[in-house]
Structures are given as C-alpha cells and as structure tokens.
Amino acid sequence: MYTLGEFIIDNKDRFLYSTESLLRLFSSIKLAAKAINKEVNKAGLTKTIIGSTGIINIQGEKQQKLDNYAHKVFIESLKSRNVVCGIASEEEKDFIIIKEKNDNCSKNEYIVLLDPLDGSSNIDVNVPIGTIFSVYIRKSSVNITLEDFLQEGYRQILAGYIIYGSSTILVYTIGNGVYGFTLDPTIGTFYLSHPNISFPKKEKIYSINEGNYDKFPIGIKHFIKYCQETNENRPYTARYIGSLVGDFHRNMIQGGIYIYPNHYDCPHGKLRLLYECNPIAFLTEQAGGKASDGTTRILNIKPSSLHQRTPFICGPINMVNKLEAFMKTNYYE
Ligand code: AHM
Ligand code: MG
C-alpha cells in the first residue's frame, strides 16, 4: 500500500521544484478533499448542505451550498500552508492574494486556480462531482497581479482533480504521467490505485450533451453521425454524466472523447479555460491524448481573462484529430 505522500517523496527527482513545498501543497489539497468528501457523503441526510444558497455566482449560475462550502474549505486549507501566494476560483470574481506571515508575499511561489466543485447541478441527485485544480509558479517577484494567473496552460507545473464518486480518487500530473490515489475513508489516507494512467488503444465512447444537437456547428453534427455509424472498427457508445470530472475520468480509463463545443446559446463554449479545461488538457496529454478547442491546442491558448470560456474537446489523439477534420468543414449550417 503506497500512500500519496510516500509516492511524492520517492519520485521527487521528477519534480523540478521544491519537494517540501509540493508536499505542503498536497497536504492542503488532501485535507480539503477529505472535508468535502465527508460532506458529499452525507449530503442526502442534511438540508444544510444540499440545495442552493440563493446566490447567483460570477458565472451567472445558481450557487449550490456545497459549491460555497468547497470553495471556503479549499481557500482556508491552501492559505494555511504558506506556499501559495494567489488563488482564483470559479466561485469568486477576482483572484485572492495570500499574504505571507511576514506580509511581503514574495516567498510563496504557487498560483492555484480551482473549480472547487464541478458538476454541481448533480449534487442533489447523487451523481459524481469533482474538484479541479491547476498550479503555476508565480511570474511576479513581489506583488502578484492578474498576469500571474493568465499563463498559458503549458506552463502548469501540477494539475489534477478529485472525483467524489463510488469512491473518492485524487488524480494528478506533474508532467510525468498521470497517477490516481483512492481515499480509504476509514483511515483518511490516499493510496496509489491507478499507476501511470493512459488512454487505452481501443476507443469506445463519445460524450457530448446531445440535447444541444440542433445548436451545434455542422462539423460537430457530422462527427456525432460518424460516431453513430456502424463500422467494424467503431461501434461507439454514448456516455454523458454532465460532470466534466466524471465524464473525463471514465473516458481516460475506458477510451473516449469528451466534447463541449461552442453552440448557438454559448458562442464561446461553456467550460472555463483556466480552472476546467487547462488542467484537464494537461492530464489528457500526459495520458497520451489530445485536447483542443476544435482548431488550437488548449495548452497554447494565451488567456485574456480569469473566467474565460472555450470550446473543449479532449480524448484519444485519433478521435480528436477526426473531430478537428470535421470542424474544418462548414461552421454553422
Ligand atoms: P459547473 O462548473 O457550473 O458545474 O459547470 C460545468 C459542468 C461540467 O462539469 C459539465 O461537463 C458541464 O457543465 C455540463 O453542462 P451541460 O449541463 O450544459 O451539459
Ligand atoms: Mg465547473
């Protein structure tokens, strides 16, 4: 039984930055994940955690009580380890500056971007949800600014997610493969359960909200039809939970493509570049796949704002290439 802490220490040579600060960062991520896991597991029993706060968040969406709880738990936990200098969250309009104990905010190196609880429309109905995190090294030497957060995805030094599903699993990459650790809730420890995850050779699944079919660009419609065609190489099947973390986790393990395109109602896509698409794109590439907005590599996009949205496609290289080829045909019908 290999714990996450032991694994990081044994693989410290793969990380270009300080192992101590990485351990501290992971210790805060694990702590927050365990606290959220506990609340998620008893969500059906308590009205204090299920349902909406009545607040419309920066995304224009109803904030769920558990969204708010997860946001607060992560911020508090990340603040306390003295390695993070700035945090941006899906639940907060502006980025948060973390002052160091000596107040000059120049020693803490990490910038963290978070979706504290993704797929929150699924909370009340007991469907997998997740936390997504993305970590960069700060660019500024003293006071952090928006530019510290608007870095291209290829500059991430760490990215991952925690999926709260039939079990709770933390999956991460530091740019040297993808590793998954399952929480043993009886003793509160994450153990290595998924070493070196990669997309399998056989492609099986396409995941897209087909309820939006009429609004999709023509290239996406053609790709869906291609996936549905019977062919000896591809009797694909459709799977869509509506939780990015859940859909991606399944597709990475079983072999499939996830697609959230732009469409008539969301011309720039729905998912957020910085704390949803970039970390999942980093994991995708590390698992041997490809992530794109339809034409451009996600990790090469230069962000222009904190809550920027983008069309998002990730999965096995062949499937993403095929979809990109369809996208080159007429855009809207
Ligand atoms: P959220 O961050 O508000 O939870 O929204 C993101 C979620 C993703 O997890 C999921 O893939 C997508 O929204 C589902 O959207 P839709 O319901 O439009 O299919
Ligand atoms: Mg989200």
Side-chain angles (χ1 to χ4, degrees):
M1 297 284 260
Y2 209 177
T3 68
L4 175 53
E6 285 167 340
F7 185 80
I8 291 172
I9 291 170
D10 286 352
N11 290 280
K12 64 178 185 302
D13 296 344
R14 296 175 172 196
F15 191 61
L16 299 176
Y17 307 90
S18 140
T19 316
E20 188 197 321
S21 62
L22 183 66
L23 282 169
R24 282 174 187 270
L25 182 65
F26 261 117
S27 130
S28 63
I29 293 172
K30 285 187 297 188
L31 183 64
K34 284 185 249 179
I36 294 166
N37 174 66
K38 188 165 155 269
E39 293 305 320
V40 168
N41 280 339
K42 62 177 191 204
L45 295 173
T46 160
K47 289 260 177 306
T48 54
I49 208 74
I50 218 163
S52 150
T53 58
I55 295 169
I56 302 294
N57 71 10
I58 168 71
Q59 319 292 336
E61 291 155 4
K62 262 192 202 163
Q63 186 185 62
Q64 302 296 310
K65 287 178 192 163
L66 213 51
D67 277 329
N68 188 33
Y69 175 81
H71 169 79
K72 286 189 170 149
V73 166
F74 260 98
I75 304 298
E76 281 317 307
S77 180
L78 288 167
K79 263 183 183 174
S80 66
R81 296 301 194 282
N82 230 25
V83 287
V84 175
C85 58
I87 307 171
S89 160
E90 178 178 323
E91 298 303 324
E92 197 147 327
K93 180 166 171 276
D94 296 316
F95 60 86
I96 301 163
I97 299 174
I98 312 294
K99 294 279 182 214
E100 277 178 27
K101 291 205 173 108
N102 64 10
D103 217 32
N104 69 8
C105 195
S106 61
K107 224 168 74 240
N108 294 1
E109 272 199 311
Y110 295 136
I111 295 285
V112 179
L113 293 114
L114 274 179
D115 182 349
L117 211 66
D118 185 68
S120 49
S121 63
N122 286 323
I123 294 170
D124 294 1
V125 288
N126 225 1
V127 168
I129 45 183
T131 297
I132 312 174
F133 56 90
S134 165
V135 182
Y136 294 85
I137 296 288
R138 65 187 298 166
K139 287 171 93 180
S140 56
S141 51
V142 187
N143 295 319
I144 60 160
T145 69
L146 184 58
E147 287 309 308
D148 287 295
F149 294 87
L150 301 184
Q151 302 190 47
E152 295 91 342
Y154 69 79
R155 296 182 193 273
Q156 290 171 102
I157 59 154
L158 163 68
Y161 57 80
I162 299 122
I163 179 169
Y164 311 97
S166 46
S167 55
T168 292
I169 305 181
L170 187 156
V171 175
Y172 82 90
T173 183
I174 54 169
N176 218 317
V178 178
Y179 295 87
F181 295 79
T182 301
L183 177 66
D184 178 341
T186 58
I187 50 172
T189 303
F190 284 94
Y191 289 107
L192 180 64
S193 50
H194 297 69
N196 229 341
I197 309 174
S198 61
F199 285 93
K201 278 216 170 69
K202 181 122 181 79
E203 302 146 356
K204 287 208 308 211
I205 295 165
Y206 71 100
S207 306
I208 186 167
N209 185 344
E210 284 188 67
N212 295 321
Y213 186 86
D214 277 354
K215 302 175 210 161
F216 287 149
I218 188 72
I220 297 289
K221 290 181 178 176
H222 285 162
F223 182 75
I224 293 173
K225 289 292 168 212
Y226 161 83
C227 290
Q228 292 169 344
E229 264 170 32
T230 307
N231 173 300
E232 66 182 80
N233 295 320
R234 45 166 213 283
Y236 291 158
T237 189
R239 290 283 184 274
Y240 189 76
I241 303 170
S243 269
L244 173 62
V245 170
D247 282 309
F248 174 73
H249 186 76
R250 180 205 54 238
N251 289 357
M252 181 169 61
I253 288 171
Q254 295 191 338
I257 189 169
Y258 175 91
I259 311 160
Y260 207 109
N262 55 311
H263 64 68
Y264 190 78
D265 293 338
C266 52
H268 304 292
K270 175 183 180 188
L271 299 178
R272 275 53 53 124
L273 174 64
L274 288 174
Y275 41 79
E276 292 177 324
C277 304
N278 270 341
I280 299 292
F282 189 16
L283 290 158
T284 300
E285 290 193 3
Q286 286 298 314
K290 179 171 175 179
S292 153
D293 70 355
T295 55
T296 305
R297 180 186 181 216
I298 288 290
L299 297 182
N300 282 348
I301 298 173
K302 171 72 188 142
S304 54
S305 65
L306 217 47
H307 300 285
Q308 178 174 342
R309 296 175 193 260
T310 179
F312 188 53
I313 298 138
C314 63
I317 294 176
N318 286 340
M319 287 183 98
V320 176
N321 284 345
K322 192 76 193 171
L323 187 145
E324 284 183 337
F326 279 113
M327 292 296 285
K328 286 195 183 122
T329 59
N330 303 329
Y331 211 52
Y332 283 99
E333 229 167 4

